[in-house]
Amino acid sequence: MEQFLEQFPIVINSLNVGFLQTLKLFAVTLIGALPLGLLISFGTRSKIKIISGFFKIIIWIVRGTPLMIQLLIIFYFPGLVLNKPIWGGSEAGRFAASSVAFIFNYACYFSEIFRGGIQSIPVGQDEAGFVLGMTKTQIFFRVKLLQMIKRIVPPMSNEILTLVKDTSLARIIALQEIIWAGQAFMKGSQGISGAIWPLFFTAIYYLVFNGILTVLFGRIEKKLEYFK
Amino acid sequence: MALLEVNHICKSFKHVEVLKDINFSLDKGDVLAIIGSSGSGKTTLLRCLNFLERPDSGVICVDGKNIFDSNDPSLLKESVIRQNRLHFGMVFQQFNLFPQYTVLGNLTLAAKLAAKNSYAKDKDGDNSSEKAVLDDIDKRAMQLLEKVGLTAKKDSYPCELSGGQQQRVAIARALMLTPDILCFDEPTSALDPELTKEVLRVIRGLKSSDSTMIVVTHEMDFAREVADKVIFMANGIIEEAGTSEEVFTNPKSPILKNFLNS
């Protein structure tokens, strides 16, 4: 017990640093993947078959392969195969590579949710906008977007909670996120080794953060209940 | 001169000819009822007038000016179509109100966007006059809500209204942009008999205020009472056309006789 109390502040400090990196990756992914996902969903809905086909193939590849492999390819491919190590070996380089992989991967999943959301809005909404002289852009942003958001909050919240946990995959390229920080105490770090409890303890961080997000999504859903 | 002239309009979907050489005209202040069984092409005709469907061929002329001519590519540009379709207001069978906007918001959205756009283009425009224009739009919306008897509902959302009230909002919304011709696509088909009455009362009220209207309807009594002209469509052609009296009292075509007796 005494030993645990001694270790506790050291571990927490280290996990906090790791979790900050987790949060950073989570935030950057969301900021990048939401607009990119919307663009990809427009691409898949293009009337030009080459464009829609191209985006569908990209989505198929990204959704059909493990995110972990995508991380490895994006991080190592430029250096090992092209002999151009664009990311460098620093934590910042690993973070940049992770961000690219996560944004790309999640944009493809988000795009399918957006596509479903857009398609679920009755065509009568477009037509009502057209006969009132509105442009397609006005109809999308002023009429359909909020209706789409209302419809996609539940599947998006699912995907975003998964993203929080998926960030742990970035340790495969040694990004120092929270699981990496927890695992370090098994191998030996800051005078602590063979301790497995820090790794288990990381679950609390995920659980609390996902709890906050769940409450937040619940509030958004409630806020959008004013229309049907 | 007729307000609306429709000449040789044809429309096919894949290989099915839905409209076959449609010709008719409408004078200012007239109410035209288009009747016919389902699949006869009446809704497609209305949608062609609004460019929700693009006719394959033909000419549509409003107030002496061509707004559609299949042989004139300059009229087929998106921006020209957007401008020209404002000659027509449209009331849909399913209302198609914007659910996230209040009643007042539904009425003012398009007009305010158009006003803001024109001020954005004219960057030296005076802010105070922009505000005056937006205020005028609100005032006009309130006048129209009064006309359809829904002033008290201006801050309600569509989901808080009955079907009849929603359709009356849709009518007011269509009137916001002062169209030359107001089109109704089976405006009461989604309503029960009681709510149908309140919507028809509003349309009757519009007739007395001299609006030019085209009403696609299955309400034969209403068409007989309100319409100045009636077109009966069958299999994509105008099978019979004439005054309400001619069409309902002395139908000539056997198909129309059969339709009216069914």
Side-chain angles (χ1 to χ4, degrees), chain A residues 57-74 101 104-106 108-109 166 169:
Chain A
I57 287 172
I58 296 277
I59 291 174
W60 169 61
I61 293 171
V62 170
R63 294 199 309 171
T65 54
L67 174 55
M68 193 186 278
I69 301 292
Q70 292 163 22
L71 271 161
L72 290 171
I73 290 173
I74 285 172
F104 205 51
N105 181 282
Y106 269 82
C108 287
Y109 281 96
D166 270 0
L169 288 172

Side-chain angles (χ1 to χ4, degrees), chain B:
Chain B
M1 187 177 57
L3 175 65
L4 171 67
E5 279 182 62
V6 171
N7 294 311
H8 307 296
I9 290 292
C10 296
K11 175 72 187 170
S12 299
F13 291 110
K14 291 192 176 157
H15 300 298
V16 183
E17 271 189 285
V18 182
L19 297 176
K20 303 167 193 166
D21 194 28
I22 300 292
N23 298 281
F24 70 91
S25 66
L26 193 62
D27 290 329
K28 193 169 168 46
D30 272 358
V31 177
L32 167 70
I34 304 179
I35 59 171
S37 46
S38 299
S40 58
K42 48 193 197 307
T43 292
T44 305
L45 174 58
L46 208 60
R47 290 169 64 83
C48 282
L49 296 178
N50 283 288
F51 304 108
L52 290 175
E53 304 291 349
R54 190 172 292 186
D56 299 330
S57 62
V59 176
I60 300 170
C61 178
V62 174
D63 221 359
K65 191 180 142 221
N66 278 7
I67 61 161
F68 177 82
D69 182 345
S70 51
N71 295 319
D72 183 352
S74 70
L75 291 174
L76 303 178
K77 279 188 206 152
E78 191 68 36
S79 57
V80 177
I81 284 180
R82 198 164 52 244
Q83 203 53 43
N84 279 336
R85 63 165 38 122
L86 293 179
H87 288 290
F88 298 89
M90 178 78 164
V91 176
F92 299 89
Q93 187 177 348
Q94 297 295 339
F95 332 131
N96 295 348
L97 295 178
F98 304 136
Q100 74 271 41
Y101 289 100
T102 61
V103 165
L104 191 62
N106 264 276
L107 263 66
T108 58
L109 177 67
K112 284 186 175 176
L113 284 174
K116 280 180 188 162
N117 259 4
S118 65
Y119 272 94
K121 276 180 195 156
D122 173 20
K123 283 187 180 144
D124 304 326
D126 178 2
N127 273 355
S128 61
S129 69
E130 181 180 351
K131 193 181 175 305
V133 168
L134 296 180
D135 285 347
D136 276 350
I137 291 170
D138 280 334
K139 264 186 217 152
R140 179 166 161 66
M142 287 309 293
Q143 284 165 359
L144 286 169
L145 283 180
E146 202 178 334
K147 202 169 181 174
V148 298
L150 286 172
T151 318
K153 298 284 183 187
K154 75 177 172 68
D155 295 321
S156 301
Y157 288 93
C159 63
E160 297 164 344
L161 305 178
S162 72
Q165 288 170 331
Q166 289 190 51
Q167 194 59 301
R168 280 148 63 197
V169 173
I171 293 171
R173 183 176 70 174
L175 288 169
M176 262 311 277
L177 300 170
T178 53
D180 297 310
I181 299 157
L182 190 55
C183 302
F184 296 85
D185 183 16
E186 300 186 27
T188 58
S189 295
L191 304 174
D192 64 40
E194 201 47 46
L195 299 179
T196 297
K197 274 187 207 161
E198 67 177 65
V199 171
L200 295 184
R201 200 163 43 239
V202 170
I203 301 176
R204 263 187 218 106
L206 293 175
K207 178 181 164 66
S208 63
S209 64
D210 236 16
S211 300
T212 312
M213 294 188 277
I214 302 175
V215 188
V216 168
T217 185
H218 289 295
E219 300 282 336
M220 290 305 130
D221 290 339
F222 173 73
R224 186 194 292 253
E225 175 203 339
V226 171
D228 302 296
K229 282 184 173 178
V230 178
I231 283 176
F232 170 67
M233 290 189 69
N235 303 318
I237 59 164
I238 296 180
E239 177 73 17
E240 192 160 334
T243 62
S244 168
E245 177 80 10
E246 284 165 351
V247 170
F248 286 110
T249 319
N250 298 308
K252 293 180 188 72
S253 144
I255 307 176
L256 174 57
K257 280 181 191 164
N258 202 17
F259 176 75
L260 291 174
N261 289 332
S262 61

Side-chain angles (χ1 to χ4, degrees), chain A residues 35-48:
Chain A
L36 184 63
L38 196 59
L39 288 178
I40 295 174
S41 75
F42 288 147
T44 57
R45 285 168 53 80
S46 170
K47 282 182 186 148
I48 304 163

